[in-house]
Amino acid sequence: DAEITQSPRHKITETGRQVTLACHQTWNHNNMFWYRQDLGHGLRLIHYSYGVQDTNKGEVSDGYSVSRSNTEDLPLTLESAASSQTSVYFCASSEVGLAGFYNEQFFGPGTRLTVL
Amino acid sequence: QKEVEQNSGPLSVPEGAIASLNCTYSDRGSQSFFWYRQYSGKSPELIMFIYSNGDKEDGRFTAQLNKASQYVSLLIRDSQPSDSATYLCAASTWGGAQKLVFGQGTRLTINP
């Protein structure tokens, strides 16, 4: 079965370190997204990609970067981790349906990141 | 700023009653609306999708859309304790932008 996986599931790091969170999907979806989820804020979009070599900034992109070298993977890098980046991170993927209106996003299991 | 607003709750409903979850959106260009359910410690999962004005029913769930009022709702009939979760409303526009804008979620508790 197609799926979307994230690794690691839990990560503890120190302030200032570079951290990369992996996201891998086997749906063959063109669209991939990274969100962070914090209490009271719902899901906030960090970066997204509509295909290989395409990346775009979301509403909370400062301090994060992504690259898309193939369809399956969209790794998220925290260049210099800060305590404010302690959060749960979700990766998602989607494909546009035939009608154009249906673009359900499928979510990975999440990565809980703690920055000390 | 394109926003989706939800009452964060918590919303407490007795078992067997109707739970009503509401969502408003600010972008009139929004075309499609999604309700995701998220259990504690888990990832969101889609339960309903609607893009036409009116009601859409799927089992115990009914999604309602009123584009003139920029209002989306989710009704859960015969609420069960297993419906206790956070419900996320999301909106997307058509025209190439396939992003979803999420509300902050409403925490629903069904009391036995």
Side-chain angles (χ1 to χ4, degrees), chain A residues 31 37 50 96 100-101 105 108, chain B residues 32 34 36 38 43 94 98:
Chain A
N31 306 331
Q37 187 172 39
Y50 289 153
V96 180
F101 292 103
Q105 291 187 11
Chain B
S32 306
F34 301 78
Y36 282 81
Q38 186 177 25
S43 56
W94 177 230
Q98 294 150 37

Side-chain angles (χ1 to χ4, degrees), chain A residues 31 33 35 37 40-43 45 48 50 59 90 94 96 99-109, chain B residues 1 31-32 34 36 38 41-44 46 49 51 88 92-94 96-100 102-105:
Chain A
N31 306 331
F33 308 84
Y35 296 91
Q37 187 172 39
H41 288 281
L43 289 165
L45 185 63
Y48 59 102
Y50 289 153
E59 64 175 303
F90 287 101
S94 73
V96 180
F101 292 103
Y102 185 71
N103 49 345
E104 174 187 2
Q105 291 187 11
F106 297 85
F107 284 82
Chain B
Q1 178 73 13
Q31 296 281 354
S32 306
F34 301 78
Y36 282 81
Q38 186 177 25
K42 302 296 185 182
S43 56
L46 184 69
F49 154 72
Y51 63 85
L88 300 166
S92 74
T93 57
W94 177 230
Q98 294 150 37
K99 297 181 295 179
L100 293 180
F102 284 85
Q104 65 269 47

Side-chain angles (χ1 to χ4, degrees), chain B residues 37-57:
Chain B
R37 178 177 61 200
Q38 186 177 25
Y39 292 115
S40 181
K42 302 296 185 182
S43 56
E45 56 178 341
L46 184 69
I47 53 172
M48 288 290 291
F49 154 72
I50 187 168
Y51 63 85
S52 297
N53 271 328
D55 295 359
K56 179 181 179 181
E57 188 174 316

Side-chain angles (χ1 to χ4, degrees), chain A residues 22 42 48 52 54 57 77 81 83 108:
Chain A
Y48 59 102
V52 177
D54 175 75
K57 294 181 179 181
T77 297
S83 57

Side-chain angles (χ1 to χ4, degrees), chain B residues 44-81:
Chain B
E45 56 178 341
L46 184 69
I47 53 172
M48 288 290 291
F49 154 72
I50 187 168
Y51 63 85
S52 297
N53 271 328
D55 295 359
K56 179 181 179 181
E57 188 174 316
D58 184 1
R60 296 186 297 111
F61 298 94
T62 299
Q64 299 175 318
L65 174 60
N66 183 326
K67 289 187 177 180
S69 300
Q70 297 179 245
Y71 180 88
V72 191
S73 66
L74 178 70
L75 301 178
I76 307 174
R77 291 182 301 280
D78 188 24
S79 297
Q80 303 296 311

